[in-house]
Amino acid sequence: MTRLILWRHGNTDWNAGDRVQGQTDVPLNDLGQEQARAAAPLLAALRPDAIVASDLRRARDTADALAALTGLAVRPDPRLRERYFGRWQGLTIPEVAERHPAEYRAWRAGAQDPGCEIEPLDDLGKRVGAALQDAVDRMPGATVVFATHGGAARQGCGHILGWGPEVLHSVGALQNCHWTELRHDPARGWQLRAHNVGPLDQRPVPPAI
């Protein structure tokens, strides 16, 4: 059985401030480090065979908490980075809504390519999906944990599952340090087995990008 765990990174100051991160390299804050340490034993109990992480610090540092428990090396893969948010990166969501109202409305409605140099969702899904597939090809039958980002995880899962944009738009955002689990059944193919799983004492934070 092949099992993929897509794990969103811990909290950052930009998450807490409702600021668009995208591919800006923002580190975990104290809460994010605490979240990673709380989630790591739960993921270690799944007996992962490999850990792959986005090369952005917030994902790599999250992965390191699991590596410390399992002894596994973390393999970086830049294809697991968050969606590139173009001219929005560094702005707060209220600033985005004020400065780019038409593009903001399109993004909220689930537009694939809302403008402002934002990476199209189809491109995001294909690059993250390629990273997931490469890991499957490298280690068939393994359990692989991917430390990545909320939007990247959703689109990567959609690519693997073959879900269209209408379905993906209805999937709730991952909380910090929560994960989605996919399994491959030889008869039925890829299946979503769990979504938004994480520590029971997780403090809720607003979804961020």
Side-chain angles (χ1 to χ4, degrees), residues 1-6 132-133 135-137 139 141-142 144 146 157 159-163 181-193:
M1 176 189 68
T2 301
R3 179 166 55 178
L4 307 183
I5 308 295
L6 283 83
L132 303 183
Q133 188 62 54
V136 170
D137 294 342
M139 300 183 68
V144 184
F146 297 88
C157 285
H159 183 81
I160 290 289
L161 293 166
W163 288 358
E181 178 181 341
L182 304 180
R183 293 187 193 181
H184 188 269
D185 181 280
R188 300 177 61 186
W190 286 105
Q191 297 177 312
L192 175 67
R193 297 301 298 268

Side-chain angles (χ1 to χ4, degrees), residues 39-56:
L42 301 179
L43 289 168
L46 300 178
R47 301 174 64 86
D49 299 294
I51 305 170
V52 187
S54 159
D55 62 345
L56 297 178

Side-chain angles (χ1 to χ4, degrees), residues 9 24-28 54-63 149:
H9 61 79
T24 308
D25 202 5
V26 182
L28 296 179
S54 159
D55 62 345
L56 297 178
R57 284 182 294 171
R58 57 192 186 271
R60 178 57 192 257
D61 290 349
T62 299
H149 310 264

Side-chain angles (χ1 to χ4, degrees), residues 124-185:
L124 172 62
K126 286 178 179 176
R127 70 167 166 85
V128 177
L132 303 183
Q133 188 62 54
D134 282 355
V136 170
D137 294 342
R138 184 188 296 236
M139 300 183 68
T143 294
V144 184
V145 175
F146 297 88
T148 184
H149 310 264
R154 176 164 50 192
Q155 293 302 131
C157 285
H159 183 81
I160 290 289
L161 293 166
W163 288 358
E166 295 81 8
V167 176
L168 284 176
H169 188 57
S170 69
V171 175
L174 281 174
Q175 296 184 66
N176 287 114
C177 265
H178 280 51
W179 58 87
T180 298
E181 178 181 341
L182 304 180
R183 293 187 193 181
H184 188 269
D185 181 280

Side-chain angles (χ1 to χ4, degrees), residues 24-42:
T24 308
D25 202 5
V26 182
L28 296 179
N29 57 22
D30 290 345
L31 173 58
Q33 294 171 11
E34 176 187 328
Q35 290 171 334
R37 289 192 296 267
L42 301 179

